[in-house]
Amino acid sequence: MSSLRYLENIVTLKLDTEKCVGCGMCAVVCPHGVFTIEERKAQVVDRDACIECGACAGNCPVEALSVKAGVGCASAIINGWLTGEEPSCDCGGSC
Amino acid sequence: MRWGLGRSRYTIAPGLYAIGTPAGDSPVLVTANYKMTFDIVRRDMRGHDAWLLVLDTKGINVWCAAGKGTFSTDEIIRQVQRANLQQLVNHRTLIVPQLGAPGVAAHKVHKACGFKVVYGPIRSDDLPQFLRTGQTATPDMRRVRFTLTDRFILTPVELASMWRYTLWSILALFILGGIGPQIFSFSAAWSRGIIAVTVGLLGLFTGAVITPILLPWLPGRAFATRGAIAGLATGMLGLLIFSASLGWLNSLALLLAVAAVSSWCAMHFTGSSTFTSPSGVEKEMRQAIPAQAAFLLVGGLCWLAAAF
Ligand code: SF4
Ligand code: SF4
């Protein structure tokens, strides 16, 4: 689905290759094919496809990954601006 | 799939359910207590024997519940213990839908209750094949798609969640429509109001229905841009039909308003998609909202001026 891509170069995903033990979990959970595993190390091959869902970071057993995960829905972000808090998805259960 | 109204009717009780006649060696599938998700999993697993462990996600689908933190490591551990799963099955594997992964830490589940989390396919219709092939997913099973049908299904949700604002806007448009040389005229409120409301609804429809459906083919990356472009297009179409009776001020107003409303609605569609990152959406909104406001303001002033 290369025709459907979002904005470039703003994703907060970080991989610490030193820490990585090559278990492959990040490649399994990522819904957008951001990682491949080569020579027992994870590699970010498609950074701009990342949607910051946080699945990889949460499932990495050695905390080699970090990403500012959150909800990407516009009403949640507006809520966040208005209340000065982290965006939360309280759209009356409509999420 | 998400509708704004009547959520509670779509919830089922959390706990352990049987599909077919499962035994000690049957697989355990984990899912959300959103009734539609539950029904789809049962339908896709027809003819198989399995346990279905339903988490309490407050009736919300797996993906959104994982984002909200109700489809979580702790909730899995809680339900595993509540169902006494250790006694019931002779293996130690839970099959968790991959879209639940943002809320779950597989290694923590394992540590806390001894069950290994295996992430299953994204779509439950791939489950039978996943089980047949020794719980392995093909790369295709691991990728989200955002197909025409997916996008089409999400559109009614967008409309349902916007009806409140829509009603207030309609009221405001009728009141503003009455302002004119005679200070306020009820006949003008009606005749001009009805046109303004039509324009607003055209924008809503373009942003919330047409834009999501045509998404891959619209130029631009930001949803707001794509919505604005689609809005300009339908606005032009509207002008071709009505322009004779409108005059240039009203025409300009129509074009700007349809684009602004459409862009705003399209921007809200971002939350329904599995193709947007929060950082991206926030950046998009910082740029888009001032532009939308400016369009709407200029369009609105043109419309008000056209009354005199
Ligand atoms: S945050 Fe989500 S989309 Fe981004 S790399 Fe991790 S798993 Fe993939
Ligand atoms: S989950 Fe962590 S340790 Fe495993 S491959 Fe990915 S980055 Fe490396």
Side-chain angles (χ1 to χ4, degrees):
Chain A
M1 184 131 262
S2 49
S3 59
L4 239 188
R5 304 191 55 96
Y6 202 48
L7 313 179
E8 280 173 350
N9 285 329
I10 31 175
V11 163
T12 53
L13 178 70
K14 281 197 195 69
L15 164 66
D16 184 345
T17 316
E18 292 282 288
K19 281 193 192 164
C20 171
V21 294
C23 70
M25 205 58 176
C26 52
V28 166
V29 295
C30 179
H32 282 277
V34 169
F35 305 97
T36 55
I37 310 293
E38 262 164 56
E39 293 171 16
R40 315 219 60 236
K41 290 283 180 191
Q43 273 183 354
V44 176
V45 286
D46 195 358
R47 162 174 296 272
D48 287 330
C50 172
I51 58 164
E52 302 178 323
C53 68
C56 55
N59 282 281
C60 174
V62 294
E63 295 177 1
L65 287 161
S66 71
V67 62
K68 186 172 169 290
V71 271
C73 91
S75 359
I77 292 175
I78 292 179
N79 266 341
W81 287 347
L82 294 180
T83 57
E85 283 162 22
E86 281 291 296
S88 83
C89 204
D90 276 333
C91 5
S94 73
C95 271
Chain B
M1 228 178 279
R2 325 168 318 163
W3 294 81
L5 314 165
R7 169 54 44 105
S8 52
R9 280 187 286 135
Y10 303 109
T11 304
I12 59 155
L16 192 68
Y17 292 78
I19 301 175
T21 45
D25 58 351
S26 302
V28 180
L29 310 172
V30 180
T31 192
N33 76 334
Y34 179 34
K35 183 154 190 309
M36 196 174 293
T37 313
F38 180 81
D39 289 342
I40 289 172
V41 174
R42 279 205 307 189
R43 186 198 64 201
D44 291 337
M45 285 293 293
R46 197 173 293 150
H48 297 73
D49 297 324
W51 302 102
L52 195 54
L53 188 67
V54 176
L55 305 189
D56 185 4
T57 61
K58 313 271 181 280
I60 290 167
N61 70 57
V62 173
W63 171 250
C64 291
K68 276 176 184 253
T70 48
F71 193 101
S72 66
T73 307
D74 291 347
E75 175 62 11
I76 291 182
I77 298 167
R78 203 172 74 89
Q79 295 296 346
V80 163
Q81 284 162 353
R82 237 187 58 156
N84 228 335
L85 209 59
Q86 287 95 333
Q87 251 90 77
L88 210 65
V89 295
N90 54 25
H91 61 82
R92 290 290 174 265
T93 306
L94 300 172
I95 298 169
V96 175
Q98 188 191 332
L99 284 185
V104 177
H107 53 286
K108 291 185 184 152
V109 173
H110 187 231
K111 211 155 145 204
C113 66
F115 276 85
K116 183 170 171 263
V117 168
V118 171
Y119 286 108
I122 284 183
R123 288 162 293 275
S124 65
D125 55 349
D126 286 329
L127 269 172
Q129 198 200 326
F130 173 82
L131 293 171
R132 237 189 343 265
T133 53
Q135 301 181 359
T136 49
T138 63
D140 184 53
M141 290 184 198
R142 295 240 172 268
R143 299 283 172 280
V144 290
R145 303 185 210 126
F146 200 36
T147 59
L148 189 67
T149 349
D150 293 347
R151 298 196 302 273
F152 193 69
I153 285 167
L154 284 168
T155 53
V157 180
E158 279 310 290
L159 292 175
S161 63
M162 277 190 220
W163 65 274
R164 212 175 343 145
Y165 303 105
T166 312
L167 287 184
W168 283 114
S169 315
I170 288 176
L171 192 68
L173 284 175
F174 275 118
I175 293 172
L176 288 173
I179 299 173
Q182 323 84 333
I183 301 181
F184 192 88
S185 130
F186 279 98
S187 70
W190 178 247
S191 62
R192 281 168 49 76
I194 206 101
I195 297 176
V197 168
T198 313
V199 167
L201 291 180
L202 181 65
L204 186 82
F205 184 75
T206 311
V209 181
I210 298 183
T211 307
I213 290 173
L214 296 182
L215 202 59
W217 300 284
L218 287 168
R221 288 225 165 158
F223 282 38
T225 321
R226 301 195 214 218
I229 290 168
L232 286 175
T234 52
M236 290 284 199
L237 216 64
L239 279 186
L240 283 180
I241 301 169
F242 297 113
S243 62
S245 57
L246 281 180
W248 72 271
L249 269 175
N250 273 327
S251 303
L252 189 60
L254 180 147
L255 214 52
L256 290 172
V258 175
V261 174
S262 168
S263 171
W264 170 259
C265 296
M267 190 177 74
H268 276 77
F269 187 71
T270 53
S272 326
S273 97
T274 40
F275 269 84
T276 48
S277 59
S279 306
V281 175
E282 183 156 358
K283 181 180 171 200
E284 163 173 349
M285 289 170 62
R286 281 190 196 286
Q287 293 168 347
I289 291 178
Q292 290 159 355
F295 268 50
L296 204 60
L297 193 72
V298 175
L301 288 175
C302 286
W303 178 59
L304 286 177
F308 293 90

